[in-house]
Amino acid sequence: MAFLKPYLPTLAEPSRIPVHGVPAPRTKLSHAPWKRVTHFGHKAHFLAASLMILTAKRTKRCASRQAQESATLPPLQRLQRSLRFYSAIIPVLGQYIFRPWLRTLGVEKMGEDELIAEMDDWGSKRLQEALLDLGGFYVKTGQVLSTRVDLFSKPYTSRLRILQDSLPPVDAESIREIVSEELCGGGDLSELIRELDDEPLGTASIAQVHRGVLNDGREVAIKVLRPHMEPVLRGDVANLKLFALTLRGRLPVDYYPVFCELERALDGELDFLSEAQSALKVAASIRHNALGKELEAPLVVPLPIPGMATRKVLGLRPSAFQDAVSRPLLRFDIARCKANSYHEATMSNQKWVEPLQTEELGIDLGSSAGKALGRRILEALTTAYGRMVFSSGFIHGDPHPGNIFVLEGGKVALIDCGQVAQLFREQRLLVAEAVLAAAAYDGSRGMIELLAKCVRKFGVTFFEGQADEDACAASVALYLFGEKDVVFPGGYSKEEFSDKSPLRQLKSFPMELVLLGRASVLVKGVAARLDVAWSVAKKWAPLAKDAIAALCSEDECRLPAWALSSAAHQGASGSRLRFRDAARGCAALVRRWGIEKAATILTSSSKEKSKD
C-alpha cells in the first residue's frame, strides 16, 4: 500500500483534513510528494470556496435582475408615461376639431386641402416623436397604425414606419451580459460564441437581433429581449386600456377588449422558449395543405438552433437571410426598386452585406416588373397564411411589414413568431365557410344570413339597437375577407372612421379573429401599397374547400400539420446543403481519422517498446 501514500494524504494524516470553516494547517511547498499533494489539496479547497462565493453572487445578481424585470411598473412611473402619452396625443387629435372650427369662423385663412396637409404633417411628426420617446407597447401600437394606409394619410403611415425596425438599440455591453448569463451561465462568451456584432441587424419594441458566429463556424442570428421591458409593456397596455375605455364609442371600434387580449398575448412575446416552439409550428404549417400533404414552403421561417433558446435569448438559423439580406417589406413603399438588388445584397464568403437602400433602386413598382414582384410577394403571404389557418389553425399573429423580408429573387421571409393564435377545429370550419361565402357573395339575403351565422358562431357580439344585425355581421365578414370593391349590405361603410362602419357596432371580438383579421388586412394593405389587384377570399377558397373535406369527418380526427410525422422534415425550412458545409464536414472526418490513426500508431509503438 506504500505506493498509495502520495495520493492519500488525508488517510495518513487526519490532522491535515480541511474542515469547513477551519483553515487547514499551512504547509511549505517542498519537493516531497506528500507535502506537495497536501498543498495542492489546500489550494483546491480554497478555489472551491471561491467558486461557491462567485456562484452565490451570480445567482443573487440573476435573481435581482429577474425580480426587477418581472416587477410591475411603479404607479408614479406609470402615471408619468400616461401623462406623456396624453400630452402628445390630445393636441394631435384636438387640432382636427379646433382648427377646422377656426376656419369656419374665418380665423384660419388656409384652404381646406392645405389645412389638412399642414395638420397631417405636424400631427405625424408629433406622434412619431412621442412614440419613439415612450417606446414599449406604444411602439407596437404605432406599428399597427403604420400599416393602415387605407385609414391614415401618407405623412402618418410614412413617419410611423420607422417604428417597424429602426428603434434606438440597447448598448452592446448590456446585450453581451444578457447573452452570457442566459447561454453561458455567466461565463465568458468565448465558450460558445466566436463573434457577436455590436451593431444590431434590427431593433424592435421588445427585442433586437445581432449577428454572431459560433465556435464551430456556424453563423447565428441572436435575438435578445430588451432589459427591464416587461413592466414597461404591461404598464403601457394598462394605460392604453384606460384610453380605449375613455374613448369608447368615439373610436371606429371598441379597442378595449382588443387591448385586453393583446395583454394576454404578451406572455408569449416575452418568452423566447415559447417563441421557439411557435416558429417550429409555423414552419410546419406552411409546408402542408389542409389534407396533410407536404408541399414546398411558400416563404422562409427562421428556425431556432437546438439548445440556444431561453426565456430572454433565442439563437436562430440565419438560413432565411443567407441567400440575401434584404430590406423589410415596409421599405417597398418608395416608388423605385431594383430587380437585381436582392442578388447584390447577398452574403459573400460568409460575410453579411448591408443591403441597398430602396432609394437607390431602379425599377418602378408601377411597371410590369414591379407588378410581378408585388404579385409574388402577395402570393407567398396569402398561401402561407391560408395554410396556417386551414392546415393546422396555428397563426402567426404579428404580420406587420417590419416582420416580412423580401429576399433574393422575390422570396419572402416571415420572422418573429412571438404572437400566435391557435384555432380549434370548429373555428377553422367557420373560417372556411365564411371565406367561401365571401368569395361567392352576390348580395342576396341568403348569403347575408350565411355570413352572419359564421360571424356569430365565432363569438362576435354587437351592441343592441341594430336595424339589421345580420347585415352588420355580414359586413364584418366582408371587411375581413371580401373583395376590394364589394358593397356592404345594410348601407354599412368600409371606412372605419365612418359612423356607418360595422366595426363601430362590435361589442366583443375574439382574439383569434383579431389576429386572423390582422393577416387578411395586412395582405389587403400590401396589395394597396404595391397597387396590385388581389382577392384574399378567392385565393383561400380552394384551401377552405380542402379544410371542409378534411375536417368534416366525425370518424377521423386529422392531426394538425405541426403534429404530423413529416413536420420534423426540412429542419431549416427551405435550407439546402451547401458546398462549404459539406467541405467542412469532410475536413472534420479527415482530421478525426488522422487523430485516430496517429493514436493507433503511438499505441503500437508503446507496446513494442514495452516488449523490448
Side-chain angles (χ1 to χ4, degrees):
M1 295 294 291
F3 71 93
L4 291 176
K5 186 176 180 181
Y7 306 102
L8 300 172
T10 54
L11 293 176
E13 292 189 73
S15 62
R16 293 183 182 274
I17 298 175
V19 180
H20 183 66
V22 180
R26 300 183 66 128
T27 306
K28 278 189 177 182
L29 180 64
S30 70
H31 294 288
W34 178 268
K35 293 182 178 180
R36 182 165 64 250
V37 173
T38 303
H39 176 79
F40 289 157
H42 184 200
K43 288 188 71 175
H45 181 69
F46 174 75
L47 288 172
S50 301
L51 285 172
M52 288 176 64
I53 294 171
L54 289 172
T55 303
K57 287 182 177 179
R58 185 178 300 143
T59 303
K60 185 177 180 181
R61 186 169 65 250
C62 292
S64 175
R65 182 183 293 114
Q66 289 175 359
Q68 289 176 1
E69 292 180 356
S70 61
T72 56
L73 202 65
L76 182 59
Q77 289 186 30
R78 182 177 156 186
L79 177 62
Q80 289 174 341
R81 289 179 64 80
S82 182
L83 290 175
R84 284 161 61 193
F85 172 70
Y86 281 112
S87 65
I89 198 69
I90 288 175
V92 173
L93 296 176
Q95 68 167 342
Y96 290 97
I97 299 173
F98 186 64
R99 292 189 68 179
W101 176 69
L102 290 179
R103 184 174 175 274
T104 61
L105 297 177
V107 178
E108 282 280 5
K109 303 299 183 183
M110 294 182 184
E112 183 178 359
D113 293 342
E114 187 181 2
L115 178 62
I116 291 174
E118 184 178 288
M119 289 191 296
D120 287 350
D121 184 62
W122 181 84
S124 60
K125 285 181 182 177
R126 181 75 182 264
L127 186 61
Q128 180 203 55
E129 291 169 359
L131 296 182
L132 280 172
D133 178 51
L134 286 164
F137 205 84
Y138 295 108
V139 168
K140 294 190 74 64
T141 304
Q143 290 173 350
V144 175
L145 297 180
S146 71
T147 65
R148 299 311 307 274
V149 294
D150 55 333
L151 289 181
F152 299 99
S153 62
K154 190 173 182 179
Y156 281 98
T157 56
S158 297
R159 287 200 169 99
L160 293 181
R161 276 176 206 145
I162 195 175
L163 303 176
Q164 305 282 7
D165 71 336
S166 303
L167 297 177
V170 176
D171 65 278
E173 189 59 36
S174 297
I175 293 297
R176 289 175 179 274
E177 183 179 349
I178 295 170
V179 176
S180 169
E181 290 286 354
E182 293 294 310
L183 297 182
C184 302
D188 197 279
L189 280 179
S190 61
E191 296 178 17
L192 178 67
I193 299 171
R194 182 192 303 171
E195 299 176 24
L196 183 62
D197 290 353
D198 291 342
E199 190 73 20
L201 295 171
T203 55
S205 55
I206 291 179
Q208 61 189 52
V209 180
H210 291 253
R211 168 198 169 268
V213 180
L214 301 180
N215 286 342
D216 62 1
R218 286 179 294 164
E219 294 212 28
V220 58
I222 300 179
K223 183 175 181 178
V224 184
L225 185 72
R226 284 173 172 259
H228 315 303
M229 185 52 62
E230 183 171 346
V232 174
L233 288 167
R234 297 196 184 280
D236 291 346
V237 174
N239 288 338
L240 288 168
K241 284 166 60 181
L242 179 61
F243 176 72
L245 197 60
T246 304
L247 295 181
R248 213 172 201 172
R250 297 179 180 88
L251 296 174
V253 66
D254 184 6
Y255 283 101
Y256 179 75
V258 174
F259 284 129
C260 289
E261 294 293 346
L262 291 177
E263 183 178 33
R264 297 188 192 103
L266 266 181
D267 293 334
E269 291 195 83
L270 293 170
D271 185 355
F272 290 168
L273 282 170
S274 175
E275 180 175 337
Q277 288 297 311
S278 296
L280 293 171
K281 287 186 174 183
V282 169
S285 298
I286 65 173
R287 293 203 326 271
H288 294 82
N289 63 13
L291 300 174
K293 182 180 179 181
E294 188 172 10
L295 304 169
E296 184 180 355
L299 50 74
V300 181
V301 177
L303 296 183
I305 294 177
M308 290 192 66
T310 72
R311 190 172 182 273
K312 301 174 189 173
V313 173
L314 178 59
L316 295 165
R317 294 170 181 165
S319 57
F321 308 105
Q322 282 180 339
D323 287 333
V325 182
S326 187
R327 289 296 184 191
L329 186 62
L330 64 97
R331 303 292 173 85
F332 278 77
D333 61 321
I334 300 172
R336 297 179 65 80
C337 122
K338 192 173 185 180
N340 63 346
S341 64
Y342 311 115
H343 178 71
E344 295 175 9
T346 56
M347 288 171 46
S348 174
N349 296 325
Q350 293 288 339
K351 301 297 183 183
W352 290 63
V353 180
E354 180 66 16
L356 296 174
Q357 297 285 347
T358 47
E359 291 90 339
E360 302 169 1
L361 306 180
I363 274 189
D364 187 348
L365 286 178
S367 68
S368 58
K371 297 279 188 184
L373 173 62
R375 289 190 186 92
R376 185 161 188 175
I377 294 170
L378 287 166
E379 186 69 41
L381 290 172
T382 307
T383 302
Y385 270 93
R387 290 183 187 173
M388 285 184 222
V389 172
F390 299 116
S391 74
S392 67
F394 195 80
I395 307 169
H396 182 292
D398 196 15
H400 64 74
N403 285 341
I404 301 167
F405 283 71
V406 181
L407 311 180
E408 182 180 6
K411 282 186 184 178
V412 177
L414 182 64
I415 67 171
D416 193 358
C417 298
Q419 191 175 132
V420 293
Q422 176 68 63
L423 303 179
F424 53 80
R425 181 178 178 275
E426 287 75 12
Q427 287 176 324
R428 288 150 64 189
L429 282 172
L430 288 172
V431 173
E433 291 176 13
V435 165
L436 291 173
Y441 178 72
D442 57 5
S444 66
R445 192 65 199 177
M447 279 293 186
I448 292 173
E449 291 175 356
L450 178 58
L451 285 170
K453 181 181 177 182
C454 293
V455 169
R456 287 199 192 93
K457 281 189 174 181
F458 217 100
V460 178
T461 60
F462 300 87
F463 292 112
E464 295 180 0
Q466 306 300 318
D468 187 350
E469 191 174 286
D470 283 350
C472 186
S475 296
V476 171
L478 292 171
Y479 172 80
L480 293 175
F481 309 117
E483 301 290 330
K484 179 182 178 182
D485 55 353
V486 67
V487 177
F488 287 180
Y492 286 99
S493 172
K494 288 185 286 187
E495 300 294 329
E496 289 186 21
F497 287 107
S498 168
D499 291 335
K500 292 294 292 179
S501 170
L503 302 184
R504 281 184 175 271
Q505 317 307 322
L506 292 175
K507 185 177 181 181
S508 64
F509 202 72
M511 182 61 183
E512 294 83 4
L513 208 53
V514 170
L515 298 184
L516 180 59
R518 287 184 68 179
S520 63
V521 169
L522 165 84
V523 173
K524 290 182 178 181
V526 171
R529 182 178 300 167
L530 299 177
D531 194 24
V532 175
W534 202 257
S535 171
V536 174
K538 288 182 178 178
K539 292 291 182 179
W540 281 2
L543 298 171
K545 290 177 182 177
D546 286 346
I548 292 174
L551 296 171
C552 281
S553 172
E554 295 292 339
D555 299 329
E556 180 185 4
C557 191
R558 191 179 295 275
L559 286 173
W562 48 262
L564 295 171
S565 59
S566 56
H569 297 171
Q570 274 193 333
S573 183
S575 65
R576 61 180 183 274
L577 181 65
R578 297 171 182 276
F579 176 76
R580 58 174 174 271
D581 297 330
R584 190 184 293 122
C586 291
L589 287 173
V590 170
R591 185 166 58 252
R592 182 176 176 181
W593 176 83
I595 293 172
E596 291 178 352
K597 189 68 174 176
T600 303
I601 294 172
L602 287 173
T603 303
S604 301
S605 177
S606 300
K607 287 181 178 179
E608 289 177 2
K609 287 182 179 179
S610 62
K611 288 179 180 178
D612 295 340

